Amino acid sequence: MRRILVVGSGGREHALCWALRREQPTLELWCAPGNPGTESLATNLPVSTNDFGGLADQARQLGIDLTIVGPEAPLAAGLADHLRAQGRRVFGPLAAAARIEASKAFAKEVMRAASVPTAASATFTDLDEAIKYVNHHPEPLVVKASGLAAGKGAVVCATRTDAADTVRAMLGDGAFGEAGRTVVIEAFLEGEELSVFAVTNGREVRLLPAAQDHKRLLEGDAGPNTGGMGAYAPVSFATPALLDRVRREVLEPTLVELERRGAPFRGVLYAGLMVHPDGTPNVVEFNCRLGDPETQAVLPLVRSGLAELFWRAAGGEPLSEIELAPGAAVTTVLAARGYPDRPERGAVIDIPEDLPDNVEVFHAGTSRDDGGRLVVSGGRVLAVTGTGGTFSEAQAASRAAAGRIVFSGRQHRGDIGWREAARA
Ligand code: AMP
Ligand code: GLY
């Protein structure tokens, strides 16, 4: 396999291009549409992720061997189905399996059928029934838009009153559009969050290093939920014993159940877990792709074997092994002024030229203005990854570099990895 197309334009896709290029310097690599960061590693193609015909044409003309799809929206809308129908090998699930992320109601059904540990829940489309359920639910409780909501569709409610207001906003006022026309109401789970990435051919799994995301905007895990403000890997409480339990109790039964429903999963099954103090790995959500910004911390720890593993998973073949690098990685997200509600575009970004070798800057919401200057063009702008022999070296590198990259309105957290630091 020599020709790879990465679909997407975020920090995750930049990290994918970076990792593939690092492992195979002679690889022929394209990214659609890519960003100013992928430009130096791959040939960017000006084709949008929802232009399935355009992507298929490019893949055919370029003789692409493997297409790796980064984001969930095109997978949920059937991009892998479209490409596979034309005989292309795709790393990423068909729409029927991507539903595990695109419909939280479906994910809950699958988990129930497969006896996967998760919060007790009920699904509603009717406002009055949902309110009745809320009125008898212990506090705190969680209300979720069932559909895709860019990581912002879950609202943890301290009281039944808050939960009722949230349900009214979603089902009554359409606050989350179509995504919120069905809501899942579930019990609050105690514990610590963990992101587990299982590369799978539908049956076998290979785990990438486990990561921890930081969903809240502000230091100390305060403020609104975001798509993720930073991440680190590996996570010391994710011991081999815990990960083995996740494989047996969560990943394998879910894959079997998906296959039983005629929706075998090829790609990355991402289990967002809440690990209870007693060690039970409860599923908070499934995603049908790599995490963002977790990927920017996880892939620097994969020394070799990524392309081969993705190739085999995509083809439904027996999986190969990856070789991991020792040490740790921490990534700090720099977000735009106004993120997550109303990110402002246009600020000019200054990245120093003399950042140390153990720092990588992954682009997410950046573009070039008419004068060729790098400017802010999205909510999460850059992900700054530091690596090191130890967690604290990686954390210090990420934090220091993040502080030196400047643009007007920059928001970022200086405490990424605070739980790991507290354990050390
Ligand atoms: P989700 O969109 O389902 O990933 O939820 C976003 C975030 O809300 C999660 O990362 C958790 O921090 C929080 N959350 C979601 N569901 C629960 C739950 N049942 N108990 C506690 N926290 C939750
Ligand atoms: N960082 C969370 C996600 O990718 O869904």
Side-chain angles (χ1 to χ4, degrees):
M1 165 211 12
R2 303 199 34 241
R3 302 178 146 239
I4 295 184
L5 169 62
V6 173
V7 175
S9 63
R12 167 183 48 212
E13 289 76 27
H14 185 184
L16 275 164
C17 289
W18 174 87
L20 293 165
R21 168 68 63 219
R22 183 174 71 156
E23 126 178 345
Q24 275 188 55
T26 60
L27 182 72
E28 293 188 72
L29 191 58
W30 286 265
C31 192
N35 66 37
T38 62
E39 207 168 56
S40 59
L41 299 162
T43 304
N44 284 348
L45 301 171
V47 185
S48 133
T49 58
N50 52 33
D51 178 2
F52 294 0
L55 290 168
D57 286 348
Q58 290 285 352
R60 189 180 58 250
Q61 283 162 25
L62 295 166
I64 296 295
D65 298 309
L66 177 65
T67 303
I68 299 171
V69 183
E72 63 277 13
L75 290 168
L79 175 57
D81 307 59
H82 192 86
L83 295 172
R84 279 227 236 153
Q86 306 197 3
R88 305 249 148 241
R89 199 179 274 229
V90 185
F91 185 74
L94 300 176
R99 267 185 94 199
I100 194 97
E101 171 167 5
S103 165
K104 288 184 193 287
F106 173 73
K108 282 291 190 182
E109 224 179 278
V110 169
M111 285 187 266
R112 208 166 295 132
S115 302
V116 169
T118 186
S121 73
T123 297
F124 298 93
T125 51
D126 182 85
L127 177 60
D128 293 338
E129 283 175 28
I131 298 286
K132 246 185 261 163
Y133 185 79
V134 163
N135 286 339
H136 292 96
H137 201 292
E139 297 171 338
L141 65 170
V142 185
V143 178
K144 298 181 178 185
S146 177
L148 293 179
K152 293 155 209 156
V155 186
V156 177
C157 303
T159 65
R160 283 186 282 273
T161 312
D162 290 350
D165 288 345
T166 305
V167 165
R168 267 184 221 105
M170 288 184 186
L171 286 179
D173 309 333
F176 284 81
E178 274 313 301
R181 295 281 169 217
T182 301
V183 301
V184 173
I185 300 171
E186 71 179 24
F188 180 80
L189 293 166
E190 253 184 87
E192 196 163 335
E193 287 190 68
L194 187 69
S195 302
V196 173
F197 303 102
V199 176
T200 179
N201 56 11
R203 299 173 304 277
E204 274 181 289
V205 303
R206 291 283 180 276
L207 300 190
L208 301 177
Q212 193 167 56
D213 190 9
H214 297 61
K215 292 234 165 74
R216 303 296 197 101
L217 180 68
L218 304 175
E219 289 180 9
D221 291 337
N225 262 330
T226 69
M229 293 299 290
Y232 66 92
V235 179
S236 59
F237 79 82
T239 58
L242 174 63
L243 293 174
D244 195 50
R245 196 167 165 194
V246 172
R247 179 197 301 268
R248 282 183 288 107
E249 293 181 19
V250 173
L251 300 167
E252 288 170 354
T254 300
L255 292 171
V256 168
E257 178 61 21
L258 284 172
E259 174 136 40
R260 199 186 65 77
R261 291 169 180 245
F265 191 106
R266 289 182 193 170
V268 175
L269 181 61
Y270 159 173
L273 304 171
M274 189 72 81
V275 181
H276 191 269
D278 74 7
T280 307
N282 283 300
V283 175
V284 172
E285 64 166 352
F286 278 119
N287 295 314
C288 65
R289 45 150 181 105
L290 286 162
D292 189 340
E294 292 99 318
T295 301
Q296 293 90 308
V298 167
L299 293 188
L301 300 176
V302 179
R303 188 178 268 162
S304 67
L306 198 67
E308 178 67 19
L309 179 63
F310 284 9
W311 168 258
R312 286 166 174 254
E317 296 169 13
L319 298 181
S320 49
E321 302 292 339
I322 49 172
E323 187 192 350
L324 298 182
V330 175
T331 194
T332 302
V333 168
L334 304 182
R337 176 186 284 129
Y339 180 74
D341 293 334
R342 269 173 235 84
E344 283 177 26
R345 292 156 197 266
V348 176
I349 304 166
D350 178 30
I351 304 179
E353 306 239 325
D354 62 342
L355 293 174
D357 287 344
N358 65 337
V359 169
E360 289 300 327
V361 179
F362 296 113
H363 290 233
T366 71
S367 62
R368 300 254 173 223
D369 70 5
D370 293 339
R373 294 178 308 180
L374 193 67
V375 296
V376 170
S377 66
R380 291 188 291 172
V381 181
L382 297 164
V384 185
T385 298
T387 54
T390 64
F391 168 79
S392 51
E393 277 170 45
Q395 188 190 38
S398 173
R399 191 187 276 170
R404 291 183 58 206
I405 298 172
V406 184
F407 55 86
S408 171
R410 179 191 70 180
Q411 306 191 73
H412 74 289
R413 288 178 57 166
D415 67 343
I416 301 305
W418 65 271
R419 289 171 188 274
E420 188 72 9
R423 275 191 290 271

